[in-house]
Amino acid sequence: MIPNKKATLEMETEAMRAYGYRVVDAIVEHTATQREKLPVALASREEMDSMFLEEAPEKSSDAEEVLNFVLEKVMTQSTIVSHPKSFSFVPGPSNYVSAMADTLATGFNIFSGGWAASPAAAELEIVTINWLLKIFGFPSKKGGGIFTSGGSMANLTAIVTARRIKCGDDFSKAVIYLSDQAHSSNIKAIRILGFRKEQIRIIPTDLEFKIGLNKLQNAIAKDKLKGLQPFLMIGTAGTTNTGTVDPLSEISKICKAEGLWFHIDGAYGGAAILAKDGKKLLKGIQKADSLTVDPHKWFYQPYEMGCLLVRNHKWLKNTFTEKPEYLRDVEGNTSEINFYDHGVQLTRRFRALKFYMSIKTFGLQAFRKAVTYNIDLAEATEKYLRKSARWEVISPATLAVINFRYNPIKAQLSEKELDQLNQHISEQVVASREALLVTTVLNGQIVLRMCLINPRTTLQEVKDTLQLCAQFGQAKLEA
Ligand SMILES: *Cc1c(COP(=O)(O)O)cnc(C)c1O
């Protein structure tokens, strides 16, 4: 007996085609018209429950009905992170070619763990990692890397590798250094890996939010005197808060002299290397032992795609290779890389494809121009803010991030009043859904933060948003 289509989870060929076209139409429509939509989605748990909560259905439903329901109710209830007026956190500008590449990778369900399962997927990962090694000035022959789900997983992978290579099995005395502006994913990774709190040194940053070198050196010296084992320094190339780059060359020298592994978290700012000004700011990035970059941020890829690069590809293999019996027949020769031996995941989706297809299609030059535009846009925004007696720049435009606050000189507001005013402005803007613009805290001050990595955001859209902020601010002051 031939099972019916439903029992084999299949659709008729023509039905598949029609279904697929509707999905593509929806994606294209969204991509082409998102500018006219409101970027912010606001809904409570109760509202979402009332829309979606149900038992798993035993019976089938009409495919088109389910699709329509999802297009109407699900896809509309998410903040549009690729919207030109999504300024907060780190936006996800993405690009259509990569979205289609992801669709292909999923449609063919390509297993990107080992060479035997897909030589082409492994090869494209090798090729695109090589592109990145070259872009960041890492050793092209000896260097290596792996694509991960994101920056958090890349940082975790880096810290495990550093520990394996520097400490072996005994890390009871190992100590890790990072600044107070380092991304929280590093602390999370350190905790996941079973380090104790006493093994972490959070080094204060200076007025520019860069790690204090003197403080770092003192901490290392003190720990060595105590008989501890300083083994890892995590620097940041573009902090998420302010875009600040730690003094990478100087840190590298300290790490060399003291025998520390130097990991650079470039998840936010790494991509700025594609722009001339960005490259200057990132001087020394090529000296890291390992480097996190996050293509789903400023390399314009859709979620999920992070990346870890290392100076020596053997480090990854020495850290992550395990040899269960059932994988014996698929080991292959050493030039044919099994990426499951280079990271945490065995079964992996084919992430390299979107990076490969988007760079082949648009060319690296288009990416360079987009990143340069983003850096320039933030600088133009700073200039605009500085010309006004109502705005105050708190941290200057750096790698497309700028922090500022509404502070009309005439109003003579106290620090507390300024905090309340800018918090109010952000809440009103988000409630209006016109722009995603939230606050951050710098030196204890509540400030507005714009992250301008969307190449489709215009200066006019920035000015319109600032105008809206000023209106809410003025209304509050007059109330
Ligand atoms: C975003 C970010 C991360 C975490 O990356 P995910 O892709 O969100 O996991 C780590 N470090 C920095 C500096 C970041 O900006």
Side-chain angles (χ1 to χ4, degrees), residues 284-298:
I285 200 168
Q286 76 283 0
K287 294 191 174 137
D289 292 299
S290 56
L291 169 67
T292 287
V293 288
D294 216 1
H296 66 202
K297 286 179 175 168
W298 210 355

Side-chain angles (χ1 to χ4, degrees), residues 163-425:
R163 181 172 76 181
R164 176 87 213 150
I165 303 303
K166 285 283 179 192
C167 311
D169 288 327
D170 180 9
F171 52 93
S172 55
K173 291 190 168 164
V175 184
I176 302 173
Y177 306 80
L178 69 176
S179 90
D180 59 24
Q181 291 291 309
H183 191 269
S184 56
S185 62
N186 292 293
I187 296 287
K188 196 172 173 182
I190 290 166
R191 205 169 44 221
I192 292 169
L193 295 175
F195 287 100
R196 287 167 284 119
K197 230 168 76 197
E198 311 88 77
Q199 294 179 282
I200 312 169
R201 303 283 174 269
I202 311 253
I203 310 293
T205 49
D206 61 20
L207 289 173
E208 288 183 290
F209 306 105
K210 292 180 185 179
I211 190 166
L213 291 173
N214 192 38
K215 294 194 174 103
L216 172 64
Q217 277 177 304
N218 285 344
I220 294 172
K222 216 160 109 195
D223 286 329
K224 283 197 168 169
L225 283 173
K226 280 192 219 153
L228 300 174
Q229 186 193 3
F231 85 103
L232 168 64
M233 160 66 205
I234 302 171
T236 309
T239 61
T240 321
N241 251 346
T242 60
T244 303
V245 181
D246 279 330
L248 304 178
S249 299
E250 288 80 355
I251 297 174
S252 151
K253 272 183 209 139
I254 295 171
C255 288
K256 268 219 179 82
E258 303 287 350
L260 270 70
W261 181 288
F262 185 21
H263 174 63
I264 297 181
D265 180 359
Y268 173 66
I273 197 139
L274 292 176
K276 245 195 214 131
D277 291 351
K279 192 166 186 168
K280 249 187 250 155
L281 273 179
L282 294 172
K283 206 169 76 75
I285 200 168
Q286 76 283 0
K287 294 191 174 137
D289 292 299
S290 56
L291 169 67
T292 287
V293 288
D294 216 1
H296 66 202
K297 286 179 175 168
W298 210 355
F299 276 101
Y300 312 112
Q301 301 301 314
Y303 306 138
E304 299 176 346
M305 189 179 204
C307 175
L308 178 69
L309 300 177
V310 288
R311 297 198 79 71
N312 186 336
H313 64 90
K314 286 189 187 144
W315 293 338
L316 291 178
K317 191 146 186 203
N318 291 344
T319 305
F320 291 102
T321 304
E322 288 294 336
K323 291 265 175 279
E325 295 74 23
Y326 61 85
L327 291 178
R328 247 177 354 119
D329 293 336
V330 295
E331 275 167 32
N333 80 45
T334 52
S335 73
E336 295 166 355
I337 295 177
N338 296 313
F339 278 93
Y340 58 66
D341 273 342
H342 285 213
V344 175
Q345 284 181 279
L346 171 55
T347 303
R348 306 169 68 239
R349 54 180 289 111
F350 186 9
R351 296 191 176 94
L353 186 64
K354 53 186 161 186
F355 198 74
Y356 179 77
M357 285 177 71
S358 56
I359 295 214
K360 288 266 281 186
T361 303
F362 296 112
L364 210 45
Q365 206 172 66
F367 284 78
R368 290 187 197 285
K369 282 190 178 150
V371 172
T372 305
Y373 171 80
N374 293 141
I375 292 175
D376 292 348
L377 179 64
E379 283 168 10
T381 302
E382 179 182 342
K383 236 182 178 168
Y384 176 79
L385 289 167
R386 285 202 196 275
K387 273 198 302 217
S388 162
R390 295 187 296 173
W391 292 105
E392 179 190 8
V393 172
I394 302 294
S395 84
T398 310
L399 299 185
V401 182
I402 180 161
N403 290 276
F404 53 94
R405 63 182 178 179
Y406 191 65
N407 182 7
I409 296 174
K410 276 196 221 146
Q412 306 240 342
L413 301 170
S414 69
E415 280 300 320
K416 192 165 168 229
E417 287 167 327
L418 281 167
D419 280 354
Q420 285 167 349
L421 179 62
N422 283 276
Q423 186 67 43
H424 172 81
I425 290 172

Side-chain angles (χ1 to χ4, degrees), residues 38-43 76-80 433:
L38 295 172
V40 179
L42 300 166
T76 51
Q77 299 282 357
S78 298
T79 290
I80 306 172
R433 301 178 55 213

